[in-house]
Amino acid sequence: MNIAINGQKIKISEEKTILEVARENGIGIPTLCYMKERNNIAECRMCVVEIMSRPGLYPACSTYPSDGMEILTNSTKVISARRKALELMFADHVTDCTNCSKMGLCKLREYASIYGVDDRYYGVGKREKLKDNSTSFLVRDNTKCILCRRCVAICEKEIRVTAIGVNQRSTATNVGFGIELAKTECISCGRCIKVCPTGALNVADDTKRVWKAIYDKKIKTVALLSDETISNFGEFVEDTNHDVANKIVTLLKNIGIDKVYRLSDFDSYYKQQKKIAFEEKRKDEMILDGMCEGFKYYLETYHKELKRFLLEIPDKKTMLAELLKRDCDIFVINIDNCVAKKRRTNESIDYPIDVSITTRELYEIYVRSCVSTYTAASVWECLSEKEPDRLPDELTKCAHIEVEEERDVTIIDGLDRFEQIVINHGLLKYMRVRVCPEGCKSGGGGYFMKE
Ligand code: SF4
Ligand code: SF4
Ligand code: FES
């Protein structure tokens, strides 16, 4: 089949939508509601295109080309329709952008600037306020919702929880939890936050607690950073070279954090401890690795009977926090992409981690602190050097020990895959299940999901 997009001749052999063909050929088309294989409801009308010799406009995300079709993606008609679609979204949107939790990261705002939209063309949105801050990890602000239903699709089709959904009908239609989030079966994966293009869903803000600890002269602050956080932060600051880690450590030291540890330095010690725990449990018919906090919430909510198979060992950052706190009065700040870790930290008593912030909150700190991350090089604290940190002996000794890689562990990323495996093959001997489909690097507190 031969088609033309903006005059560019394209040959197609497989069945694909206009959007897919355009993107594969380097032609950009804006989208808000579309998510490949997950949400194809053609609701927002941002992706409309003109098809020559046909009346009207067509959503590229759900229209399939036919032979000889000539498509225009940026005609005057198309631009004006996109502008109108945006104006209508703003008509039902409380536009207090300067005070919005998505700061400069909102897709709606970005498109409004690109298409020169007057966000008050139809007056100021008066959507009924349904703010839900009933949990310690997620904040829902209904006044920012554009009803794209990406969150609904991800929760239902990928996480298989259905904690968030569409309520009521017609002009009263709203997306939300129906009841307070705290009363739902949400497992706090945060994947809905990751796909929300506006400020309607966001992580609960714990940055104030970080600042408070920093400014308390009696408190010694220690930050723990994972490699996933480092690469994800690079996406926020649009820098993917190897220097991002140094930029983060410089930022943290410059804002007043006393010590910064890199979690990967703790790998050898942790593997050794895990091996011991594994040997103790070896006789069990099945072992579940409990390093994913979201998976533990999933078991607590849906499969309590499987909890007894969990390996009895804290996850890496919790264990490191425990060790660092031994004999030391410090305030531990965990920074990663995990929203479930934030929940565990905020809802547990006597937890070794004092506060968990997501990479997104780290980015907020970066923006608000106005600290240049390019100045004076700062250094990571080294786990293998005992002085002056008074680190526990066994940790300093083990920091560089080579430990055999784990064998026979089946890594399963995504609950849909876990359920498929359990349904089709029964439980495997040793499984490490991570709720997020690409593991911790795709956690809900990280950069927004890319198409
Ligand atoms: S945090 Fe996860 S489980 Fe909870 S509503 Fe969002 S996607 Fe669903
Ligand atoms: S909460 Fe966000 S992702 Fe969900 S429907 Fe509203 S704007 Fe879309
Ligand atoms: S992206 Fe096609 S209609 Fe929303």
Side-chain angles (χ1 to χ4, degrees), residues 76-108:
T76 318
K77 227 163 122 185
V78 165
I79 300 296
S80 136
R82 286 184 191 151
R83 203 171 277 149
K84 193 55 70 196
L86 286 164
E87 279 165 3
L88 287 168
M89 281 181 229
F90 278 113
D92 199 19
H93 194 93
V94 176
T95 325
D96 54 347
C97 299
T98 50
N99 191 28
C100 178
S101 60
K102 274 274 163 65
M103 292 171 81
L105 300 165
C106 170
K107 251 329 199 200
L108 183 67

Side-chain angles (χ1 to χ4, degrees), residues 187-189 291-300 338 340-341 344 415 433 435:
I187 60 162
S188 51
C189 64
M291 69 163 238
C292 172
E293 212 62 76
F295 182 59
K296 285 197 269 186
Y297 279 116
Y298 168 75
L299 291 186
E300 280 165 28
C338 185
K341 193 73 192 163
R344 186 69 74 198
L415 287 177
V433 188
V435 167

Side-chain angles (χ1 to χ4, degrees), residues 188-247:
S188 51
C189 64
R191 294 285 294 169
C192 53
I193 303 172
K194 198 171 173 76
V195 298
C196 178
T198 70
L201 289 167
N202 218 332
V203 287
D205 184 2
D206 280 312
T207 55
K208 287 190 187 73
R209 292 174 55 206
V210 173
W211 288 114
K212 195 167 171 231
I214 289 173
Y215 287 124
D216 188 332
K217 292 221 162 54
K218 296 191 286 303
I219 295 177
K220 189 171 166 189
T221 48
V222 168
L224 310 182
L225 266 172
S226 66
D227 284 355
E228 290 84 11
T229 310
I230 295 165
S231 65
N232 217 271
F233 187 77
E235 295 193 53
F236 279 100
V237 294
E238 292 174 355
D239 185 346
T240 46
N241 70 32
H242 302 304
D243 219 21
V244 176
N246 287 332
K247 281 178 190 161

